[in-house]
Amino acid sequence: QITLKESGPTLVKPTQTLTLACSFSGFSLSASGVAVGWIRQPPGKALEWLALIYWDDERRYRPSLKSRLTITKDTSKNQVILTMTNMDPADTATYFCALTGDPWFDAWGQGILVTVSS
Amino acid sequence: SYVLTQPPSVSVAPGQAARLTCGGNNIGDYRVHWYQQKPGQAPVLVVYDDNGRPAGVPERFSGSNSGKTATLIIRGVEDGDEADYYCQVWDTGRDYVVFGGGTKLTVL
């Protein structure tokens, strides 16, 4: 059974750096073709893809946020980490991590609501 | 960047067919995937690769894709199908994931 779960702070202040972890089980991020992505959803708004990391450590970022995002993986811990710098109230959203082995997202975490407020 | 356009809302009576569209420039050249999201829940894949159906998804869900429009078709709509639906493609040229703006399906 594949599971993913997001963890991290639910409240951050403007200008701070957000660090989120995606802990997963039921698959290996060392397996060829596997990738984990981060997607966010502001309250009442649409899904927005942020970043992706592949089994071979290749990374892809949303161009408009590339300067603020870093995605890394710890295969031994079955975790993917997303950091986002210089947080702004507009970054308030539910952040999801999801598994992809193809160009679609097979399985999603439950999401974590992150609020940016002073 | 590539843009996917979805109507904000679609309403359908129970038992009827719902057709949710996703428009994009030459979207027929892309592989389109659809997700269902109910309030407070994570999205769930309901159609992949234009018309593939993941295990556990009812046969009532199907898809098509041609030209400038991809369509998710839900036959025999039930109350439980009421949700937001998102289309998604992978812009392989830029290695960039794109989601549509989502359509809220209301069952009358």
Side-chain angles (χ1 to χ4, degrees):
Chain A
Q1 181 188 5
I2 291 172
T3 65
L4 303 98
K5 187 173 184 179
E6 305 84 355
S7 61
T10 57
L11 179 65
V12 298
K13 291 180 167 53
T15 74
Q16 286 187 335
T17 293
L18 172 68
T19 299
L20 295 174
C22 174
S23 301
F24 58 84
S25 63
F27 67 92
S28 171
L29 197 41
S30 297
S32 179
V34 176
V36 171
W38 284 93
I39 302 101
R40 72 178 179 182
Q41 185 173 39
K45 295 189 177 181
L47 300 170
E48 181 179 68
W49 171 73
L50 298 176
L52 195 68
I53 188 164
Y54 291 85
W55 85 99
D56 61 358
D57 216 33
E58 283 290 312
R59 307 166 196 194
R60 299 291 183 268
Y61 296 101
R62 186 177 189 83
S64 61
L65 294 172
K66 187 175 182 178
S67 63
R68 299 175 53 204
L69 294 172
T70 303
I71 189 170
T72 59
K73 62 181 176 70
D74 186 332
T75 306
S76 64
K77 293 183 179 179
N78 280 354
Q79 278 192 337
V80 171
I81 305 297
L82 180 75
T83 61
M84 180 180 290
T85 61
N86 194 24
M87 293 292 285
D88 182 270
D91 296 314
T92 293
T94 296
Y95 288 74
F96 297 97
C97 62
L99 163 68
T100 177
D102 298 279
W104 59 82
F105 294 97
D106 302 90
W108 297 62
Q110 63 189 24
I112 181 170
L113 175 60
V114 177
T115 301
V116 184
S117 174
S118 54
Chain B
S1 60
Y2 193 71
V3 176
L4 296 174
T5 301
Q6 297 184 250
S9 63
V10 168
S11 299
V12 64
Q16 299 301 303
R19 287 175 171 77
L20 284 63
T21 60
C22 177
N25 190 27
N26 293 324
I27 195 173
D29 294 337
Y30 293 79
R31 298 156 71 183
V32 180
H33 322 294
W34 292 89
Y35 302 87
Q36 176 193 69
Q37 185 181 32
K38 296 182 178 180
Q41 298 184 19
V44 173
L45 181 72
V46 292
V47 166
Y48 65 90
D49 273 0
D50 298 339
N51 55 18
R53 195 169 46 249
V57 174
E59 292 184 9
R60 302 184 295 104
F61 289 79
S62 62
S64 66
N65 183 20
S66 179
K68 295 184 177 181
T69 305
T71 304
L72 174 68
I73 304 161
I74 309 172
R75 294 184 169 80
V77 166
E78 303 173 354
D79 288 347
D81 298 331
E82 190 163 281
D84 293 326
Y85 291 83
Y86 294 90
C87 56
Q88 177 245 313
V89 301
W90 194 298
D91 186 339
T92 54
R94 298 176 178 82
D95 241 344
Y96 181 96
V97 177
V98 182
F99 286 97
T103 294
K104 180 177 180 58
L105 176 66
T106 299
V107 181
L108 300 170

